[in-house]
Amino acid sequence: MKKFIVIDGLDGSGKDTQVNMLAEAYEKRGRSVTIRSHPCNDNRFGRKSKQALLKTGKINHIKATIYFGLDAIRSVVKYTHDDNVDVLIFSRYILAVMYLPNGINTIVYKIVAFILPTSDCMFFLDITPEESLRRIGSRNEETEMFENIDALRDNRQKSQKFTYNWNVVSADETPEEISEKIVSKCFSTD
């Protein structure tokens, strides 16, 4: 793997849209791109995380976070040392630790950020909780446990503790404006 990129943010912030736009920009440059959108459906950790996200309660909250972490670690192990992977883009990654209880989440984040790969191309799409909820409501999908206004407000506030060394991009802008910022930063560090 030559390039590692992460795009993260609240639900509805446009992560997958930006991942796909970025992948297309790299492919136009002749680069091969591998995308991992967590939780992934191609392994049991990702599937168990998604199942827990569709339920409620503290146990499912913890299960969703732990299985998500195992899913992301699986992707790291499988793809970061693969010489056939030129550009690896993760949608959702280590910021999932912010869903753990306060205090614990900070400690776990520091450990995870030290152990797992990071890069100067890690983006947090910052969106207002109100716009996030509006976008979530326009999708034809089941609602997950964190997709309500109180959780979105809480998680946006929590995210500020962890994104101090990330590239924070306003996700209230158009997808094209956001993409231009992300692509420019990524290409400048190639």
Side-chain angles (χ1 to χ4, degrees), residues 22-37:
L22 182 60
E24 184 178 314
Y26 268 109
E27 288 165 350
K28 284 181 180 175
R29 288 185 138 195
R31 307 277 296 268
S32 65
V33 178
T34 299
I35 296 171
R36 299 298 295 165
S37 183

Side-chain angles (χ1 to χ4, degrees), residues 115-155:
I115 295 171
L116 295 178
T118 58
S119 81
D120 55 356
C121 286
M122 293 175 52
F123 299 90
F124 180 75
L125 302 180
D126 187 31
I127 189 170
T128 62
E130 293 77 16
E131 177 61 14
S132 174
L133 194 60
R134 186 193 69 72
R135 291 181 187 179
I136 291 165
S138 70
R139 301 186 302 209
N140 191 20
E141 297 176 1
E142 281 186 81
T143 302
E144 296 177 357
M145 70 171 68
F146 302 115
E147 295 178 336
N148 62 73
I149 196 66
D150 291 334
L152 291 167
R153 285 180 178 144
D154 184 47
N155 291 326

Side-chain angles (χ1 to χ4, degrees), residues 156-190:
R156 184 181 191 213
Q157 184 176 359
K158 282 182 181 180
S159 73
Q160 294 170 354
K161 291 191 311 186
F162 305 106
T163 56
Y164 53 86
N165 61 347
W166 289 60
N167 299 287
V168 178
V169 179
S170 173
D172 290 326
E173 298 178 12
T174 68
E176 293 75 21
E177 290 170 323
I178 298 166
S179 177
E180 185 177 320
K181 291 175 184 177
I182 293 172
V183 169
S184 175
K185 172 65 177 178
C186 290
F187 283 4
S188 74
T189 61
D190 280 351

Side-chain angles (χ1 to χ4, degrees), residues 2 13 41 49 59 61 67 70 85 92 100 118 160 180 187 189-190:
K2 296 178 179 82
S13 62
N41 289 323
S49 178
I59 295 295
H61 181 137
Y67 282 123
L70 293 170
V85 175
R92 297 175 205 86
L100 293 171
T118 58
Q160 294 170 354
E180 185 177 320
F187 283 4
T189 61
D190 280 351

